[in-house]
């Protein structure tokens, strides 16, 4: 792997090939799992507010459904590509398998920038996406969810279109719906809390008390804020957070050596997770360059913003004190940096395990919709903790027994489960 800027699907296939070798998978299973089972590419004509028709390109990739219906979000993004959607669909297969929920992997997208679309245009785009796919998705086939730049309102429009086409109620068709309209309590907290359930277990294993640790976090959005909330409840100290500054078009790190005040920071943060730099300085935060979050003298790093953030360059700046990297974001570590983390013996909690709280809670949403009976937030979060903890222990046990890197152990468990599903069904 010569460079750090990789086609995501090639990277996902290389990760798969590596574990397929470790597992000595037969040729037919490899051929089946390294490509999506199905993919749909389509055009969505949308009547714009000015009366013209604009045509958007849409995708849905169903990577594998041997263990259950495909599951995965829909992104609205101007730089969306088929290969990104393919990679994300494959990673969803492994994510659902590693936490042992009865779902496969899928992902969808539309090439568009919702910032440039009115609400009416967004609604027509959502309905158009469903019209193109209504026969190929559904509660028993493929269950979409929100992702980058899509939200609960988009999901509700999509559900409404699906139900209109099929002439009945299908609340389990899509997840991430608004609470009160089939959404689950606890979904907002689920990914961030899930990250910390795994950090808590890693600390137990290393014999370190949370109250003796400190953290630096990249990002101050949904994942990051709830990760900080639960980690502080465990007694840990967060010394730095970073975020993107829309006005300056750059990122900054905000540091308070005695520990950041979560509620104070939330009070000066916009809905995109951008902290107001003037107010932060007034509140006594040091404003440092964007990459400074990785240089902090802390025990734990939680990248929760973007992919490729721990790379060949930034990994050199990491403090020798860091013991755990918990990947809240998808794909935050490049393969080159990953090798460095391995050599340094850092305890990496890989993305598709650490951030699986979101999809696990989406699965709970589907279960509640199917029963038409909704749980309390405590019940949802209690079940989430059980699922995440069990998954973490299975991976860390395997890593210890077979002397594997955590990422490889997680892949071994996920890929073997999916490969067995395919074999048991007689596909390979
Ligand atoms: P978000 O949009 O709520 O927050 C993103 C944060 O990252 C914001 O604070 C933003 O300012 C910051 N950011 C953006 N660019 C940055 C940069 N260059 N440097 C520093 N900070 C930067 O997003 P989120 O939902 O918290 O998701 C974060 C990551 O977690 C993504 O990789 C996402 O795919 C992944 N993830 C999210 C969920 C979920 O349920 N939200 C589930 C699984 C994985």
């Amino acid at each position: 792997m010569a460079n750090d800027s990789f086609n995501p699907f090639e990277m996902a296939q290389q990760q798969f090939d590596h574990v397929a070798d470790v597992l000595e998978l037969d040729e037919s299973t490899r051929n089946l799992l390294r490509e999506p089972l199905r993919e749909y590419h389509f055009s969505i004509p949308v009547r714009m507010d000015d009366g013209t028709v604009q045509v958007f390109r849409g995708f849905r990739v169903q990577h594998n459904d041997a263990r259950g219906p495909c599951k995965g979000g829909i992104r609205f993004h101007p730089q969306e590509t088929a290969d990104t959607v393919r990679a994300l669909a494959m990673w969803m297969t492994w994510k659902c398998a590693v936490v042992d929920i009865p779902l496969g992997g899928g992902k969808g997208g539309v090439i568009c920038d919702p910032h440039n679309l009115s609400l009416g245009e967004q609604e027509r785009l959502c309905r158009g996406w469903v019209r193109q796919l209504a026969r190929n998705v559904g509660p028993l086939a493929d269950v979409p969810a929100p992702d980058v730049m899509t939200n609960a309102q988009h999901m509700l429009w999509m559900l409404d279109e699906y139900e209109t086409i099929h002439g009945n109620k299908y609340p389990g068709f899509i997840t991430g719906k608004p609470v009160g309209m089939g959404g689950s309590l606890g979904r907002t907290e689920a990914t961030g809390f899930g990250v910390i359930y795994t950090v808590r277990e890693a600390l137990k294993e290393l014999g370190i008390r949370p109250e003796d640790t400190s953290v630096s976090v990249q990002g101050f959005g949904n994942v990051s804020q709830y990760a900080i909330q639960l980690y502080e409840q465990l007694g840990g100290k967060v010394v730095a957070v970073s975020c993107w500054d829309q006005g300056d078009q750059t990122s900054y790190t905000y540091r308070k050596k005695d520990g950041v005040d979560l509620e104070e920071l939330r009070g000066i943060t916009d809905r995109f997770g951008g902290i107001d730099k003037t107010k932060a300085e007034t509140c006594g935060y040091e404003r440092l360059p964007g990459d400074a979050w990785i240089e902090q003298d802390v025990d734990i790093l939680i990248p929760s913003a973007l992919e490729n953030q721990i790379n060949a360059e930034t990994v050199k700046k990491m403090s020798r004190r860091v013991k755990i990297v918990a990947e809240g974001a998808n794909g935050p570590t490049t393969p080159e940096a990953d090798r460095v983390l391995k050599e340094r013996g850092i305890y990496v909690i890989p993305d598709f395990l650490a951030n699986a709280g979101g999809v696990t809670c989406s699965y709970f949403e589907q279960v509640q919709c199917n029963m038409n009976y909704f749980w309390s937030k405590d019940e949802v979060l209690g079940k989430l903790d059980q699922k995440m903890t069990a998954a973490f222990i299975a991976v860390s046990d395997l890593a210890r027994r077979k002397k594997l890197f955590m990422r490889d152990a997680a892949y071994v468990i996920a890929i073997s489960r999916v490969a067995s599903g395919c074999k048991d069904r007689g596909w390979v």
Side-chain angles (χ1 to χ4, degrees):
M1 288 174 211
N3 69 56
D4 260 14
S5 57
F6 235 75
N7 172 321
F9 186 50
E10 284 175 13
M11 180 166 134
Q13 287 185 315
Q14 289 193 5
Q15 290 167 343
F16 169 75
D17 290 341
H18 170 65
V19 179
D21 288 344
V22 173
L23 287 170
E24 298 178 0
L25 280 189
D26 60 80
E27 204 53 33
S28 45
T29 308
R30 280 176 198 241
N31 287 341
L32 184 67
L33 293 181
R34 74 193 303 284
E35 298 286 341
L37 273 183
R38 288 176 290 276
E39 52 181 77
Y40 304 95
H41 295 211
F42 44 91
S43 299
I44 311 169
V46 174
R47 175 81 55 194
M48 306 304 278
D49 291 347
D50 65 5
T52 60
V53 171
Q54 201 170 318
V55 179
F56 294 88
R57 292 291 295 162
F59 307 98
R60 185 71 183 173
V61 175
Q62 296 170 348
H63 172 258
N64 190 279
D65 58 9
R67 290 173 45 85
C70 294
K71 183 88 194 80
I74 303 168
R75 297 182 156 200
F76 284 177
H77 200 280
Q79 270 98 44
E80 194 61 277
T81 67
D83 272 346
T84 312
V85 183
R86 288 184 185 114
L88 290 162
M90 189 191 261
W91 285 324
M92 283 305 295
T93 303
W94 314 141
K95 194 180 291 197
C96 293
V98 82
V99 282
D100 206 10
I101 53 181
L103 296 170
K107 204 80 180 187
V110 177
I111 304 175
C112 71
D113 186 350
H115 294 109
N116 302 331
L117 300 175
S118 71
L119 275 183
E121 289 164 348
Q122 291 178 40
E123 176 177 350
R124 294 191 285 280
L125 179 60
C126 288
R127 291 183 184 277
W129 193 91
V130 173
R131 278 203 294 277
Q132 294 304 322
L133 276 175
R135 285 183 303 276
N136 311 105
V137 289
L140 301 177
D142 181 1
V143 182
D147 203 272
V148 174
M149 291 203 263
T150 50
N151 57 35
Q153 175 64 73
H154 296 131
M155 299 305 110
L156 200 53
W157 286 326
M158 289 183 170
L159 175 71
D160 188 67
E161 188 66 22
Y162 185 85
E163 292 181 337
T164 304
I165 292 169
H166 289 286
N168 221 327
K169 295 294 172 199
Y170 297 95
F173 156 61
I174 206 159
T175 62
K177 301 181 292 295
V179 171
M181 290 299 289
S184 176
L185 290 167
R187 177 63 186 88
T188 318
E189 294 87 348
T191 308
F193 276 23
V195 171
I196 300 304
Y197 297 144
T198 64
V199 168
R200 180 194 65 202
E201 296 305 308
L203 286 170
K204 265 189 215 162
E205 202 172 300
L206 297 172
I208 304 171
R209 298 182 327 154
E211 49 272 46
D212 296 334
T213 64
S214 54
V215 159
S216 175
V217 185
Q218 187 188 36
F220 195 62
N222 171 261
V223 177
S224 165
Q225 291 188 25
Y226 287 99
I228 292 173
Q229 182 174 320
L230 188 61
Y231 172 70
E232 287 187 347
Q233 278 171 24
L234 297 180
K237 184 169 76 172
V238 177
V239 297
V241 300
S242 74
C243 67
W244 182 253
D245 188 287
Q246 193 65 36
D248 293 356
Q249 287 291 298
T250 188
S251 55
Y252 294 116
T253 298
Y254 296 94
R255 178 170 71 180
K256 218 177 224 182
K257 284 193 172 151
D258 296 337
V260 305
D261 179 333
L262 178 62
E263 287 317 315
E264 178 181 67
L265 276 182
R266 274 181 170 152
I268 58 170
T269 298
D270 64 27
R271 65 195 171 92
F272 303 108
I275 297 170
D276 183 312
K277 58 180 175 298
T278 314
K279 290 182 182 157
E281 282 170 352
T282 311
C283 295
Y285 289 87
E286 290 173 77
R287 179 157 58 92
L288 307 170
D291 275 354
W293 71 277
I294 207 173
E295 301 169 15
Q296 300 306 307
D297 189 31
V298 291
D299 306 285
I300 304 167
L301 292 176
I302 307 185
S304 307
L306 303 171
E307 57 284 356
N308 296 341
Q309 298 301 296
I310 305 181
N311 52 44
E313 277 312 303
T314 57
V315 76
K316 292 181 198 150
K317 303 179 189 168
M318 198 183 276
S319 156
R320 288 276 150 195
R321 182 167 155 194
V322 173
K323 297 170 193 71
I324 297 175
V325 172
E327 297 181 335
N330 285 319
T333 309
T334 66
E336 285 181 0
D338 211 29
R339 278 194 284 278
V340 177
L341 299 183
K342 212 181 264 193
E343 278 158 26
R344 282 176 51 180
I346 289 177
Y347 199 115
V348 173
I349 310 173
D351 49 5
F352 68 101
L353 172 62
N355 70 34
V359 72
T360 305
C361 196
S362 293
Y363 162 62
F364 293 158
E365 178 176 331
Q366 245 189 308
V367 171
Q368 293 169 82
C369 284
N370 292 343
M371 293 189 297
N372 205 6
Y373 174 76
F374 287 81
W375 306 330
S376 69
K377 189 192 268 192
D378 282 352
E379 196 169 351
V380 173
L381 294 174
K383 289 185 199 305
L384 181 67
D385 192 350
Q386 275 176 11
K387 219 46 188 147
M388 294 293 295
T389 302
F392 176 90
I393 290 173
V395 173
S396 73
D397 272 358
L398 182 72
R400 210 177 24 251
R401 277 190 287 114
K402 302 276 182 193
K403 299 201 175 1
L404 291 172
F405 192 46
M406 280 288 282
R407 192 182 313 279
D408 293 342
Y411 265 120
V412 164
I413 289 181
I415 293 174
S416 351
R417 282 183 181 152
V418 179
S420 307
C422 296
K423 243 181 211 2
D424 294 348
R425 281 178 182 274
W427 290 355
V428 282

